[in-house]
Amino acid sequence: MHFSRKNLGIPYAVFLAVFVVAPLVVLLFYAFTNGQGQFTMENLTGFFTDPNALGTLFYSLLIAVVTTAVCLLIAYPTAYLLATSKLKNRTVIVMLFVMPMWINFSLRITALKEILTILEGNLAMHPFLNAVIGMTYDFLPFMILPIYTTISKLDGALREAAMDLGADRTRTFLEITLPLSLPGILSGVSMVFLPAMTNYVVLDMLYNSTYIMGSLIGSYFAAYNWHGGSMIALVLLCMICIFTLLTGGEDETARGGALL
Amino acid sequence: MKRSLRGLFLVLVLLILYLPILILVVYSFTTSTQIGAIRGFSLHNYVTLFTTPELRDMITGTLALALGSAVIATVLGTMGAIGAFYSSRRTGAVISTVNQIPVVNADVVTGFSICILLVVVFHISKDSYIPLVAGHVTLCAPFVFLSVMPRIRQMDPSIYEAALDLGATPFDALMQIVIPQIVPGIISGFALAITLSLDDYFIATYTKPAMFDTISTYVVNATKGSQTTIKTALWALSTVIFVIVVLIVIGMNLRSIRQERAEKTGRRLHV
C-alpha cells in the first residue's frame, strides 16, 4: 500500500468514533428508552418534574457558582501579582503554585479533611462550607495558571501608554489589564465551574451527603439504572455544551498547561 | 501596592495550598493516628505502605495503568495529529472538533458513557481491563493530540520536501524529519497523559474491575472506613508522592536553567 501521511490519522479517527462518538450516541439512546427498549420521554419529564432532581441541579449550580467566585477572588490577585512581579526566579515560583495539581487529588482532600476536622470538630456541621473549601483547595491551581499565562503575555507597552496618557493605576488596571485578561479568566472559570458541578467525591470525602449532579449519575450507576443515569449525563452534557459556547471554548492548554 | 504586601499575599496563598500536605508529611513520621498531639518518631507507616500487599498492589496497579494508557494514548494521539494536519481541511476540522469532546466533557459523563457502551451494550467484562484502559486512553489521547499539534504547525514543510527530493521514502522522511521536530510535543503530551491517568477517579470507578484499585479509588474507599493503620499509611504515600513531585519540578527547573545558560553562551559565541 502506498504510504501517505494523512493515513496516519485513520487509527485515531476510528478510535474517536468508537470511544467518543459511539458512547454519546448510546447515551442518547438510553436516555430516551425504557428497560424494554421502547422510546419514552419519561426519563426527561421525570427529571424536570422531580423536585429532588431539580433541587440537586440547583445545589450543584450554587456550589459551582460560589466555588468559582471564591477561586477567582483568590486566583486573580495571585496571578496578577505573579505576572507583574520582577522576581528573578519567576518560573520556579509559578511552578510552586501549579505543583499541587500533580499530587493525587484524593490524597490532597484527605489532608485537607484532617485540618478541617481540627478546626471545626464535627465536619458534618458545615457541609456547604466544607464543599466550597474542598473544591477551592482542589481547583485553585487550575484557575491561577490560565490567568497568569494571559496576563504575562500582555504587552506592557499598553499599560505604559495608558499611564502616559494620564490614567492612574486603578484606571489602567480597570480599562487595560482586566479586559485583556478576560480570556484567561474565562478559561479558568470553565476549568473550575464544570468540575465543581460534578466532582461529588470531594463532597463525599468531607461528609457532605447532599447530592450534586455527579452524585446522581453515581447513584444510578450503583443501582444499575442505565436509563436514568443516561438522562442525567445528557442534561450535564447539554449544560457543558452551552457553557463551552458561552466561554468561547476551553483553553486547550489549561488543564495541563504547566507542562507545555 | 507595597512590595511586602504583595509578597505576603502570595505567601498566604502558598500556605493554603501546602499546609495540609506539609502537616501530613510531618505526621507520617510519627506514631500518631490523628492530627493533634505529636507522639514519638516512627517509620512504621512507611513499612506498612511498602509491605502490605493490598497497598503495594494498588500502587503498582496505578502506575502500570498510567504507563500503559499513556503509551497507547501517545502513539494514537501523535499519529492522529500528524494525520489530521495533512488531511483535507474538513477532515482535519472534524477530527479536531471530536478530539475536543473528552477535553471539555465532565469525566463522570465520559466514564459513564464508556461503561454503558462497552459493558452494558457489548457485554465486555470489566475484569478484562479493556473498559478501564479504553477509558483512560480516551481521557489522555486528546491532550497528546493537542500538545503535538502546535509543533506540527511550527514545522518548516520544505525540509520534508527536501528529504523526498533527495530520495527518501515518505515513511523514512516521516521518521527522520517529522518525528524529531515534534518530539518536545510528544514528550509533554506523554507527561500530561501520565498525570491525567494518575489523578483520575471517575473514569476508573465506572470501568475498573471490582478487585482492582487505583490510588484515587482506593483512597476514596479507605476514607469511608476507619482502619487507622491504612489511614496513616496513606499519609506516608502522600509524603512519597509529594517528594517525587518536588524532585521532578527541581529537575525540570535545573534543566531549563541549564538550557537558558547554554543559549546565552551560545549567543555570545555567535557575536
Side-chain angles (χ1 to χ4, degrees), chain B residues 98-177:
Chain B
V98 178
N99 184 74
Q100 208 58 22
I101 296 176
V103 176
V104 294
N105 205 349
D107 293 347
V108 193
V109 178
T110 308
F112 186 77
S113 66
I114 287 178
C115 165
I116 290 200
L117 178 78
L118 297 184
V119 180
V120 181
V121 177
F122 285 110
H123 300 290
I124 298 172
S125 164
K126 286 185 188 175
D127 292 331
S128 68
Y129 290 91
I130 293 174
L132 178 62
V133 174
H136 272 227
V137 175
T138 310
L139 172 73
C140 302
F143 288 93
V144 177
F145 181 98
L146 288 177
S147 66
V148 170
M149 196 47 117
R151 292 281 168 178
I152 304 179
R153 286 208 192 99
Q154 285 166 14
M155 252 180 353
D156 180 354
S158 51
I159 306 179
Y160 178 81
E161 305 296 333
L164 292 188
D165 289 345
L166 290 171
T169 64
F171 183 75
D172 286 339
L174 177 83
M175 296 310 277
Q176 292 173 21
I177 305 294

Side-chain angles (χ1 to χ4, degrees), chain A residues 90-153:
Chain A
R90 204 164 74 177
T91 34
V92 181
I93 292 167
V94 172
M95 204 77 104
L96 276 179
F97 284 86
V98 173
M99 213 172 72
M101 68 190 186
W102 297 330
I103 301 169
N104 188 289
F105 87 98
S106 61
L107 291 171
R108 281 193 291 136
I109 297 294
T110 312
L112 180 71
K113 185 179 155 190
E114 300 292 336
I115 307 290
L116 289 178
T117 310
I118 298 175
L119 293 175
E120 296 177 8
N122 187 355
L123 282 184
M125 299 294 282
H126 310 280
F128 186 79
L129 179 71
N130 289 338
V132 172
I133 293 177
M135 291 198 174
T136 305
Y137 178 61
D138 193 2
F139 305 141
L140 190 60
F142 295 96
M143 183 73 99
I144 295 177
L145 189 60
I147 300 180
Y148 166 79
T149 316
T150 317
I151 299 183
S152 58
K153 278 184 194 152

Side-chain angles (χ1 to χ4, degrees), chain B residues 2 118 219 245:
Chain B
K2 275 193 195 135
L118 297 184
V219 171
V245 170

